[in-house]
Amino acid sequence: VKVYYTNLKEWLGAQKGITIYAASLNGEDVTTMDKIKEGIIIFGNESKGISSAIMNIATDKITIPKTGKAESLNAGVAAGIILSHLV
């Protein structure tokens, strides 16, 4: 895994022609989606989520279907679930 330290908004804005997925409470159900071959998946933290500036750059919003009253999952758990369905 390559690790980059940069301004995320600028870097994402420069990624032309690549789908940028944002994990969101309101998005396409990942369990119904096809596997992806290329793309960027953005995860926010548990308390604040993804900033509106980054969310506006995302080309697709994705979500994990939920039952019950929980509003969100731990970011690591959510990442694992989403990656297991899409990659």
Side-chain angles (χ1 to χ4, degrees):
V1 174
K2 294 181 181 179
V3 177
Y4 296 94
Y5 294 95
T6 188
N7 179 300
L8 185 58
K9 182 179 175 185
E10 290 176 12
W11 185 82
L12 287 172
Q15 306 309 305
K16 304 298 180 201
I18 297 176
T19 303
I20 300 172
Y21 300 92
S24 171
L25 293 176
N26 302 306
E28 184 176 353
D29 179 344
V30 296
T31 64
T32 64
M33 295 174 62
D34 293 331
K35 302 279 186 193
I36 60 173
K37 294 184 177 153
E38 181 178 75
I40 298 166
I41 305 173
I42 305 294
F43 299 95
N45 65 34
E46 291 93 349
S47 62
K48 296 182 183 176
I50 300 171
S51 73
S52 59
I54 299 299
M55 194 64 82
N56 289 333
I57 295 171
T59 56
D60 294 69
K61 293 174 180 61
I62 56 178
T63 194
I64 300 167
K66 298 172 274 325
T67 58
K69 297 181 181 183
E71 291 183 11
S72 64
L73 298 171
N74 169 277
V77 171
I81 292 168
I82 289 172
L83 292 172
S84 73
H85 284 285
L86 296 183
V87 180

